[in-house]
Amino acid sequence: MFTQGEERNREVITQVKAAKEAAGKLSGATTGQKNQALLAMADAIWRNRQEILVANQQDVQDAQAAGQTASKVDRLQLNEKRLQDMMEGLRKLIELTDPIGELLETILRPDGLLIEKVRVPLGVIAMIYESRPNVTVDAAGLALKTGNAVVLRGGKEALRSNAALVKALKEGLEAVHLPTDAFQFINRTERESVDDLIQARGLVDLVIPRGGAGLIERVVKHSLVPVIETGVGNCHVYVDKQADLQKADAIVINAKTQRPSVCNAMETLLVHADIAEQWLPVILAQLMERGVEIRACERARAALAGNPQLREKAVPATDADWSTEFLDLIMNVKIVADVNEAIQHINTYGTLHSEAIVTEDPGSAQIFLQQVDAAAVYHNASTRFTDGFEFGFGAEIGISTQKLHARGPMGLKEMTSYKYLIKGNGQIRV
Amino acid sequence: MFTQGEERNREVITQVKAAKEAAGKLSGATTGQKNQALLAMADAIWRNRQEILVANQQDVQDAQAAGQTASKVDRLQLNEKRLQDMMEGLRKLIELTDPIGELLETILRPDGLLIEKVRVPLGVIAMIYESRPNVTVDAAGLALKTGNAVVLRGGKEALRSNAALVKALKEGLEAVHLPTDAFQFINRTERESVDDLIQARGLVDLVIPRGGAGLIERVVKHSLVPVIETGVGNCHVYVDKQADLQKADAIVINAKTQRPSVCNAMETLLVHADIAEQWLPVILAQLMERGVEIRACERARAALAGNPQLREKAVPATDADWSTEFLDLIMNVKIVADVNEAIQHINTYGTLHSEAIVTEDPGSAQIFLQQVDAAAVYHNASTRFTDGFEFGFGAEIGISTQKLHARGPMGLKEMTSYKYLIKGNGQIRV
């Protein structure tokens, strides 16, 4: 007899082992086989669309009944158009170069040993994510193209939608005789099933948490296998005294308001003291017009002295605000003495995601690009470009905010490892 | 008032913060400055040799009094020759190419955005290692050359030796006006100081544990920052039915006996059933002559039926033996039906380190190279070559047995990250 916890753990581990076994087979699949599978996966989604949409409808009703926010329900909701977008995503992967098997380096040693460094799949990737069914299809497609097996653990609100999608995706694998075990779906809602998965050392090669700071923190804390942290972006734009203020207007408004709910949106504006009195009222008025709430440092509020109406709306920022990823039409503003203070603020509060300087002074730009510690550092452009598609990668599995393995947008290559193949004729070490 | 634990944690965190601050400065150091520092570090070791050797003598006496094994005491012991070897190691780093600043990729986007992917230091690397003072100097040298700060936490038996060495190394930094805070030595023996270090999320960018399986497991379990596991090697040699047995003799003897205490030594010999009766008595006799103890599967013992003396010495292997990294003149032997069973055994019990096949059959070699999941897979060569120096990297910080970031020997490039510098003229996302 097993306890419920043991039973759950046994089931998850059985799935992970099946994924590992399938990963071994998948690592030898040809590009042609994998591309056929992607096509078959897209077809199978369309063939199963009714079943998927019915399952999704149930998820959506439950989410609404549970009082989920409209934006969460919207992320969960599927329709034929959204299914077609998912299918299009799978088909686009076909055009991308298969990274597996690439010869990265050849070393011929004096004793005749030939060392070849070749690109191989990682093996088993575990995805832990929120209630967004599109991530299920994205992750399966990217894993398949890179020869990896994937274990999917999505948010509980999307359980039925994900189950129906994974069933269809497996049909696609089956159609081209690739192991259906390569896609494992954890059809459970207990939080502990996440722990089972991220503690399967020796079976899972990488965990990618995709979601808010809380989810990521939980995974980092409990994981015994390597993790790549993604997507928490407390991003800054620094407007220098030598900025072209027309560029600054456009960049700041774009970085904050074009899509405030995403990780590469700006959360704090840093302004050089010399231009604060002149420019701050101008930009803040434009932002407020677009519905942005402002939290300002004392000096910024002082700079608004000539405009009491603006000043009143720019409430004092608290210490916690500087560390907050609002993901909403809220932002901080802070006056800094120079580029060095801007860099220091960013390296203290930033999350190593995306940071920008607006300036016409090449010296300040150079210092900023070199000293800011982030995946993507911009000169005279919006932080909103940090994205696998915008970088031309054709796809992305997430945006890494750590420095190990992959940094910034992670495309196909970032989902691979390498191994050394050493060919000899009897060499021994002396 | 602080408790002792809080006091310790505060002290370690203060050191880590100082390292992070220094890492920022070091990231901008020129190759010339770093090479001068390496030279000055070597000189400072020699200048301080008396102080270092006195400290080491105290460590050695305590270790002997505490009943440490001769091999542990030997690893701890320093003398002028060993100091010169360390200094030579530092000087050799000067000749190696500085990886920092390398332009890895340039992407020009249709809207004119220029994206440059450049190699940068990781930041702060924490080294957790056993009582081997040479690791202190190696790690400091490699970190410095790659623009990283390093926090050193060595085994407690080497505390005085390490403290004296780090003092000298800091003198080297000071001589060339680089921040001495780039080398932090945790001058404490409490195990909890390791936890303080590996849980400093946002301050430490990478932890590298170097030591036995127990040390590595502890670090993996408690760490909240990215870890690269190194050095646990349960390595196999598979001798195929189509092996050139002269090569097999040489490779097996070399892989097991040339230096049994290291991670790339063979722990289990796998032999194709068709050649077992003929070849097994030959190779086992040679191994036993060299003092190797044999643990054999039932079929291997049966294959020794014609030689009762050998058979008696080849004791039955237990289940635990197949997973054991003996690091000693002990090994397992197992008969397998074919290359597929060999691969399956290796992928079940191996530690993703180094694995070899001996065969003249290109088909079997190909299957083995493709399907064995390990950092280094050998065809007709000894596993003993897995090593940064043997691969021509000129240096190594350890041998990674995981698939993320770095696999196999880690040289200078493996101690770096990258960032994207994006240069625009006002681009915003539409």
Side-chain angles (χ1 to χ4, degrees):
Chain A
M1 286 294 290
F2 293 94
T3 66
Q4 246 187 321
E6 285 166 347
E7 191 61 41
R8 185 204 64 242
N9 182 271
R10 249 166 41 115
E11 231 181 82
V12 172
I13 296 300
T14 302
Q15 285 190 267
V16 174
K17 282 186 177 164
K20 188 179 158 125
E21 176 99 20
K25 292 177 192 157
L26 215 54
S27 71
T30 64
T31 304
Q33 282 178 302
K34 293 187 286 189
N35 285 343
Q36 279 185 328
L38 289 166
L39 215 52
M41 285 156 62
D43 290 347
I45 287 179
W46 194 243
R47 203 168 48 244
N48 288 276
R49 64 187 177 282
Q50 215 164 354
E51 194 178 326
I52 295 166
L53 293 177
V54 167
N56 181 252
Q57 200 43 43
Q58 294 175 323
D59 282 340
V60 167
Q61 279 166 6
D62 284 5
Q64 283 167 332
Q68 292 281 347
T69 61
S71 81
K72 278 203 177 167
V73 171
D74 180 60
R75 284 171 160 201
L76 176 57
Q77 178 107 52
L78 295 179
N79 52 40
E80 289 205 348
K81 169 71 177 61
R82 286 188 176 179
L83 290 183
Q84 281 167 342
D85 288 346
M86 289 175 176
M87 291 157 61
E88 187 54 24
L90 291 173
R91 292 197 190 111
K92 280 214 165 139
L93 288 173
I94 293 172
E95 298 154 29
L96 300 182
T97 305
D98 183 352
I100 301 306
E102 187 189 348
L103 185 60
L104 298 168
E105 221 176 311
T106 303
I107 305 164
L108 183 62
R109 299 295 300 158
D111 62 359
L113 267 190
L114 176 67
I115 305 178
E116 294 176 344
K117 182 177 179 180
V118 297
R119 203 186 279 283
V120 299
L122 280 164
V124 177
I125 299 176
M127 289 290 300
I128 319 285
Y129 53 106
E130 292 173 338
S131 298
R132 303 178 61 176
N134 63 311
V135 175
T136 305
V137 178
D138 275 6
L142 285 161
L144 192 274
K145 180 81 187 200
T146 50
N148 292 294
V150 67
V151 186
L152 300 156
R153 173 46 167 91
K156 64 177 187 296
E157 295 82 4
L159 197 73
R160 283 171 287 208
S161 313
N162 285 334
L165 282 167
V166 173
K167 182 173 162 281
L169 295 170
K170 279 173 174 261
E171 279 184 30
L173 289 183
E174 202 166 17
V176 298
H177 311 294
L178 285 177
T180 56
D181 277 341
F183 300 153
Q184 295 291 332
F185 174 61
I186 306 293
N187 202 344
R188 293 182 162 275
T189 55
E190 308 101 304
R191 274 200 158 194
E192 291 78 8
S193 63
V194 174
D195 296 340
D196 297 333
L197 186 53
I198 66 183
Q199 293 175 358
R201 212 176 144 210
L203 295 173
V204 172
D205 296 290
L206 167 65
V207 177
I208 304 179
R210 247 177 84 162
L215 171 81
I216 289 169
E217 205 145 322
R218 205 184 128 78
V219 169
V220 167
K221 187 156 176 201
H222 295 280
S223 182
L224 299 182
V225 304
V227 180
I228 293 187
E229 298 186 39
T230 68
V232 175
N234 185 17
C235 307
H236 303 72
V237 175
Y238 165 59
V239 179
D240 190 46
K241 68 174 169 184
Q242 296 203 43
D244 173 332
L245 293 178
Q246 259 191 306
K247 289 180 190 167
D249 283 345
I251 289 169
V252 167
I253 290 169
N254 185 258
K256 182 67 241 175
T257 70
Q258 197 243 356
R259 201 169 165 203
S261 66
V262 292
C263 59
N264 55 21
M266 176 186 73
E267 305 294 3
T268 294
L269 170 64
L270 302 169
V271 181
H272 192 290
D274 290 2
I275 57 164
E277 277 190 44
Q278 172 208 349
W279 181 66
L280 206 52
V282 181
I283 186 69
L284 292 190
Q286 292 182 74
L287 287 163
M288 285 178 187
E289 247 172 54
R290 287 165 173 82
V292 180
E293 283 177 37
I294 304 294
R295 308 194 175 171
C297 74
E298 270 319 302
R299 292 182 66 191
R301 299 193 76 226
L304 298 173
N307 196 326
Q309 219 185 335
L310 276 182
R311 188 181 166 159
E312 198 186 325
K313 283 205 205 158
V315 302
T318 66
D319 251 16
D321 286 330
W322 307 117
S323 309
T324 302
E325 190 191 13
F326 298 110
L327 296 174
D328 205 344
L329 288 175
I330 307 171
M331 62 172 265
N332 304 309
V333 58
K334 183 186 165 87
I335 308 297
V336 293
D338 56 18
V339 67
N340 296 310
E341 192 185 344
I343 293 168
Q344 206 183 350
H345 181 92
I346 291 169
N347 286 346
T348 304
Y349 295 102
T351 53
L352 314 195
H353 197 295
S354 301
E355 308 293 352
I357 181 172
V358 184
T359 188
E360 298 301 307
D361 171 20
S364 296
Q366 180 52 30
I367 293 173
F368 190 89
L369 290 170
Q370 203 265 315
Q371 292 187 13
V372 165
D373 191 13
V377 190
Y378 291 83
H379 176 207
N380 286 345
S382 169
T383 54
R384 287 278 296 113
F385 287 105
T386 307
D387 174 309
F389 297 92
E390 292 295 329
F391 275 34
F393 296 175
E396 72 164 44
I397 189 83
I399 295 172
S400 164
T401 55
Q402 68 182 45
K403 297 193 220 171
L404 216 63
H405 186 74
R407 203 171 189 193
M410 294 175 65
L412 295 179
K413 281 186 188 173
E414 286 71 25
M415 293 176 72
T416 67
S417 180
Y418 56 81
K419 74 181 179 188
Y420 291 100
L421 305 180
I422 303 108
K423 299 169 180 176
N425 50 19
Q427 281 87 343
I428 60 171
R429 187 155 168 192
V430 286
Chain B
M1 285 294 291
F2 292 96
T3 66
Q4 246 187 322
E6 286 166 346
E7 189 61 42
R8 185 205 65 242
N9 182 270
R10 251 166 39 116
E11 229 182 84
V12 171
I13 296 301
T14 302
Q15 285 190 267
V16 174
K17 283 185 175 163
K20 187 178 159 125
E21 175 100 20
K25 293 177 191 156
L26 215 53
S27 71
T30 65
T31 304
Q33 281 177 303
K34 294 188 284 189
N35 286 342
Q36 279 185 329
L38 289 167
L39 214 54
M41 285 154 63
D43 290 348
I45 288 178
W46 194 242
R47 202 167 51 242
N48 287 276
R49 65 189 177 280
Q50 214 162 356
E51 193 179 327
I52 296 166
L53 292 177
V54 167
N56 181 253
Q57 199 44 44
Q58 293 174 322
D59 281 340
V60 167
Q61 279 166 7
D62 283 3
Q64 282 166 332
Q68 294 279 349
T69 61
S71 82
K72 279 203 175 167
V73 171
D74 179 59
R75 284 173 158 199
L76 176 58
Q77 178 107 54
L78 296 178
N79 52 41
E80 290 205 346
K81 169 70 175 61
R82 288 187 174 180
L83 290 183
Q84 280 166 342
D85 288 346
M86 291 175 176
M87 291 156 61
E88 187 55 23
L90 292 173
R91 291 194 191 112
K92 280 212 164 139
L93 288 173
I94 294 172
E95 297 153 31
L96 299 183
T97 306
D98 182 353
I100 301 305
E102 188 189 346
L103 185 60
L104 298 168
E105 221 174 313
T106 304
I107 305 165
L108 183 61
R109 299 295 300 158
D111 62 358
L113 267 189
L114 176 67
I115 305 178
E116 295 177 343
K117 183 178 178 180
V118 296
R119 203 186 278 285
V120 298
L122 280 164
V124 176
I125 299 176
M127 290 289 302
I128 318 284
Y129 52 105
E130 292 173 337
S131 297
R132 303 177 60 175
N134 61 313
V135 175
T136 306
V137 178
D138 275 6
L142 285 160
L144 191 276
K145 180 83 188 200
T146 49
N148 292 295
V150 66
V151 187
L152 300 155
R153 179 29 171 101
K156 64 177 188 295
E157 296 82 3
L159 197 73
R160 284 171 286 207
S161 312
N162 285 334
L165 283 166
V166 173
K167 181 172 164 280
L169 294 170
K170 279 173 172 262
E171 278 184 31
L173 289 183
E174 202 165 18
V176 299
H177 310 293
L178 285 177
T180 57
D181 276 342
F183 300 152
Q184 293 292 333
F185 174 61
I186 305 291
N187 202 345
R188 292 182 162 276
T189 55
E190 308 102 304
R191 274 199 157 192
E192 291 78 8
S193 63
V194 174
D195 297 340
D196 297 333
L197 187 51
I198 67 184
Q199 293 175 357
R201 211 177 145 209
L203 295 172
V204 173
D205 295 290
L206 167 65
V207 177
I208 304 178
R210 247 177 85 162
L215 170 80
I216 289 168
E217 207 145 322
R218 204 183 130 78
V219 169
V220 167
K221 188 157 177 203
H222 295 280
S223 183
L224 298 182
V225 303
V227 180
I228 293 187
E229 299 187 38
T230 68
V232 174
N234 185 18
C235 306
H236 303 72
V237 176
Y238 164 59
V239 179
D240 189 47
K241 68 174 170 184
Q242 295 203 45
D244 173 332
L245 295 179
Q246 258 191 309
K247 289 179 190 167
D249 283 346
I251 289 169
V252 167
I253 291 169
N254 185 258
K256 182 67 238 178
T257 68
Q258 196 243 354
R259 201 167 164 206
S261 66
V262 292
C263 58
N264 56 20
M266 176 185 73
E267 305 294 1
T268 293
L269 172 64
L270 302 169
V271 182
H272 192 289
D274 291 2
I275 58 164
E277 275 189 45
Q278 172 208 349
W279 182 65
L280 205 53
V282 181
I283 186 68
L284 292 191
Q286 292 181 74
L287 287 163
M288 286 178 186
E289 246 172 53
R290 287 167 173 80
V292 179
E293 283 177 38
I294 304 293
R295 307 191 176 173
C297 74
E298 270 319 300
R299 292 181 68 188
R301 298 193 75 228
L304 298 173
N307 196 325
Q309 220 184 334
L310 277 182
R311 187 182 167 159
E312 198 185 325
K313 283 205 207 158
V315 302
T318 66
D319 252 16
D321 285 331
W322 306 116
S323 308
T324 302
E325 189 191 15
F326 298 110
L327 295 175
D328 204 344
L329 287 175
I330 307 172
M331 63 173 263
N332 304 309
V333 59
K334 182 187 168 85
I335 308 296
V336 293
D338 56 18
V339 66
N340 296 311
E341 192 184 344
I343 292 167
Q344 206 183 350
H345 180 93
I346 291 169
N347 286 347
T348 304
Y349 295 101
T351 53
L352 313 195
H353 197 294
S354 301
E355 309 293 351
I357 182 172
V358 185
T359 188
E360 298 301 308
D361 171 20
S364 297
Q366 181 52 28
I367 293 172
F368 190 90
L369 290 171
Q370 203 265 314
Q371 293 187 11
V372 165
D373 192 12
V377 191
Y378 291 84
H379 176 208
N380 287 342
S382 169
T383 54
R384 287 278 296 112
F385 287 104
T386 306
D387 173 312
F389 297 92
E390 292 294 329
F391 274 33
F393 296 173
E396 72 164 44
I397 190 83
I399 294 172
S400 164
T401 56
Q402 68 182 44
K403 297 193 223 171
L404 216 64
H405 186 75
R407 202 171 189 192
M410 295 174 64
L412 295 180
K413 282 186 187 172
E414 286 72 26
M415 294 176 73
T416 67
S417 180
Y418 56 84
K419 73 179 179 189
Y420 291 100
L421 305 180
I422 302 107
K423 298 168 182 176
N425 51 20
Q427 280 87 344
I428 60 170
R429 187 154 167 193
V430 286

